[in-house]
């Protein structure tokens, strides 16, 4: 029996779309890049020509295209709720860049509608699908580190060259928590999926010259006594990884979230019995592996795990926001 080819429409021309996500869908045998839309047809047309697909000068035109099964949304976070809801109302499955919404209420509304209409709603954290992520999960489960005591994650990078970057704008859902901080929270739940964490403290640093938080951190504790320490920001020396500290050893991931397709990730493990070891893992394209996952869940029509992850991620972000607003 032949497998269905899914037609995907791209809602916007963001860098992550043109650089990484559209090429991954274009290379995949189960997907056809059917259309790309921008608010300006002059911006959409060159990309549409590159992929021999339709170009639209408005998002509404693309959503009305009956050929399209799946919409990919790489718009700024502050626009996600509006266009995710419009895509779902048009009967389309949705893959959306992080963060899915600016509040848990927005995410709940989106997930509730997707659930009621049996449509995929997936928040894109491609690092979930890199083999190094599963390797770390398996290593933790092996017991080599003993009982996990602490999970530390950090993701931060230097200031953007463009002072008008959308990440600096409150209206478009900017800020470090919804961007870099979202990765640190996601890795906590991906690496330790059986743990339930509660927030103990958090901070979002908002200098006077900025509308949004430029950096911050959070401190959480699981019901099993695991401490999670998260740090993130837009004004940092580059860091992109996590550390797991156990009763018998420690593991460090050195490039957890943004590993290029040609990079062989290095995992450092230290234990009292074996000393320090470096594990060099195979290179992999996590964008292509993410597309594999989308094809599989569309085939199986089982979206519940993605709904669960959408809501869980939004709940942690909301807890941090609420805590910081109350201090």
């Amino acid at each position: 029996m032949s497998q269905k080819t899914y037609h995907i429409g791209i809602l916007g021309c963001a860098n992550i779309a043109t650089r990484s996500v559209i090429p991954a869908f274009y290379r995949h045998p189960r997907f056809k890049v059917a259309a790309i839309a921008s608010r300006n047809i002059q911006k959409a047309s060159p990309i549409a020509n590159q992929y021999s697909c339709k170009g639209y000068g408005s998002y509404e035109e693309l959503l009305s295209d009956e050929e399209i099964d799946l919409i990919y949304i790489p718009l700024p976070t502050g626009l996600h709720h509006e266009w995710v809801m419009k895509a779902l109302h048009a009967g389309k499955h949705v893959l959306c860049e992080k963060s899915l919404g600016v509040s848990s209420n927005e995410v709940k509304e989106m997930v509730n509608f997707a659930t009621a209409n049996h449509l995929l709603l997936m928040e894109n954290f491609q690092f979930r699908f890199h083999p190094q992520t599963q390797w770390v999960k398996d290593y933790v489960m092996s017991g080599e580190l003993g009982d996990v005591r602490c999970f530390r994650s950090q993701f931060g990078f230097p200031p953007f060259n463009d002072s008008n970057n959308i990440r600096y704008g409150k209206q478009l859902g900017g800020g470090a928590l919804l961007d870099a901080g979202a990765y640190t929270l996601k890795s906590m739940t991906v690496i330790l999926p059986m743990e339930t964490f509660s927030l103990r403290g958090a901070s979002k640093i908002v200098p006077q010259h900025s509308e949004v938080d430029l950096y911050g951190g959070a401190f959480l504790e699981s019901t099993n006594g695991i401490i999670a320490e998260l740090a993130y920001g837009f004004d940092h020396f580059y860091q992109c990884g996590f550390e797991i500290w156990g009763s018998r050893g420690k593991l460090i991931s050195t490039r957890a979230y943004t590993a290029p397709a040609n990079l062989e990730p290095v995992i450092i493990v230290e234990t009292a019995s074996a000393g320090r070891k470096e594990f060099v893992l195979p290179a992999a394209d996590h964008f292509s592996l993410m597309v594999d996952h989308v094809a599989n869940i569309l085939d199986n029509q089982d979206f519940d795990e993605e709904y669960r992850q959408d809501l869980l991620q939004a709940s942690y972000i909301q807890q941090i926001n609420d805590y910081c607003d109350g201090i």
Side-chain angles (χ1 to χ4, degrees):
M1 180 182 296
S2 62
Q3 293 179 304
K4 175 177 173 136
T5 297
Y6 297 103
H7 291 70
I8 181 169
I10 318 298
L11 212 68
C13 303
N15 286 337
I16 190 171
T18 57
R19 183 181 67 247
S20 300
V21 178
I22 300 176
F25 276 106
Y26 183 75
R27 292 190 301 265
H28 200 281
R30 300 293 310 286
F31 288 93
K32 174 180 173 58
V33 177
I36 183 162
S38 174
R39 296 183 186 277
N40 184 333
I41 188 61
Q42 283 73 34
K43 190 171 184 180
S45 291
I47 303 170
N49 292 337
Q50 181 181 350
Y51 292 100
S52 301
C53 69
K54 290 174 280 191
Y56 290 117
S58 74
Y59 301 151
E60 289 87 354
E61 284 183 278
L62 187 147
L63 293 181
S64 66
D65 187 333
E66 295 183 357
E67 178 189 19
I68 294 172
D69 304 297
L70 171 72
I71 302 292
Y72 167 59
I73 300 179
L75 300 173
T77 298
L79 300 178
H80 286 174
H81 177 261
E82 176 185 358
W83 291 104
V84 167
M85 290 301 295
K86 287 181 177 179
L88 294 173
H89 276 279
K92 314 297 189 186
H93 300 290
V94 175
L95 170 69
C96 184
E97 278 303 322
K98 51 75 196 139
S99 283
L100 185 53
V102 298
S103 70
S104 61
N105 284 337
E106 283 192 354
V107 175
K108 287 175 185 176
E109 183 180 355
M110 290 185 274
V111 170
N112 287 342
F113 190 90
T115 303
N117 292 275
H118 195 60
L119 294 166
L120 171 65
L121 177 57
M122 176 176 161
E123 186 177 23
N124 184 30
F125 285 96
Q126 63 277 348
F127 80 90
R128 288 170 53 192
F129 309 104
H130 198 291
Q132 69 169 322
T133 304
Q134 187 61 50
W135 190 96
V136 170
K137 291 173 67 175
D138 291 342
Y139 197 89
V140 172
M141 291 299 295
S142 75
E144 291 293 324
L145 299 178
D147 296 329
V148 176
R149 306 296 194 208
C150 181
F151 177 86
R152 295 189 177 111
S153 179
Q154 53 283 329
F155 189 27
F157 31 83
F160 300 101
N161 293 328
D162 177 13
S163 61
N164 294 319
N165 190 290
I166 60 172
R167 293 175 180 85
Y168 293 140
K170 185 175 182 179
Q171 185 176 2
L172 291 178
L177 173 59
L178 289 171
D179 192 282
Y183 283 89
T184 66
L185 284 162
K186 191 67 175 182
S187 64
M188 179 185 77
T189 61
V190 168
I191 301 300
L192 302 171
M194 304 308 293
E195 300 295 329
T196 301
F197 287 87
S198 57
L199 188 70
R200 292 289 180 264
S203 63
K204 295 195 303 179
I205 310 303
V206 187
Q208 291 181 353
H209 68 273
S210 174
E211 294 182 341
V212 298
D213 55 307
L214 289 187
Y215 61 98
F219 181 87
L220 304 95
E221 183 180 3
S222 81
T223 52
N224 291 324
I226 300 174
I227 301 302
E229 301 171 354
L230 314 178
Y232 50 86
F234 293 160
D235 192 22
H236 288 51
F237 173 73
Y238 188 80
Q239 291 287 282
C240 177
F242 52 76
E243 174 186 314
I244 303 165
W245 186 9
S247 58
R248 296 200 300 269
K250 181 175 71 173
L251 178 151
I252 299 172
S253 166
T254 57
R255 190 71 180 272
Y257 309 130
T258 60
N262 62 353
L263 176 74
E264 296 181 332
V266 177
I267 305 295
I268 302 168
V269 176
E270 296 181 43
T271 62
S273 59
R276 186 181 189 273
K277 293 184 179 180
E278 290 191 2
F279 297 88
V280 181
L281 305 182
D285 182 349
H286 52 191
F287 288 99
S288 293
L289 294 171
M290 177 273 292
V291 173
D292 282 339
H293 176 77
V294 174
N296 288 335
I297 57 179
L298 287 175
D299 286 346
N300 296 328
Q301 292 287 295
D302 185 2
F303 310 140
D304 287 350
E305 175 58 20
E306 294 303 326
Y307 299 154
R308 185 194 70 82
Q309 291 201 32
D310 294 341
L311 293 169
L312 181 63
Q313 176 77 1
S315 73
Y316 282 125
I317 289 176
Q318 191 65 55
Q319 286 180 55
I320 293 174
N321 276 324
D322 289 347
Y323 182 92
C324 292
D325 289 344
I327 58 176

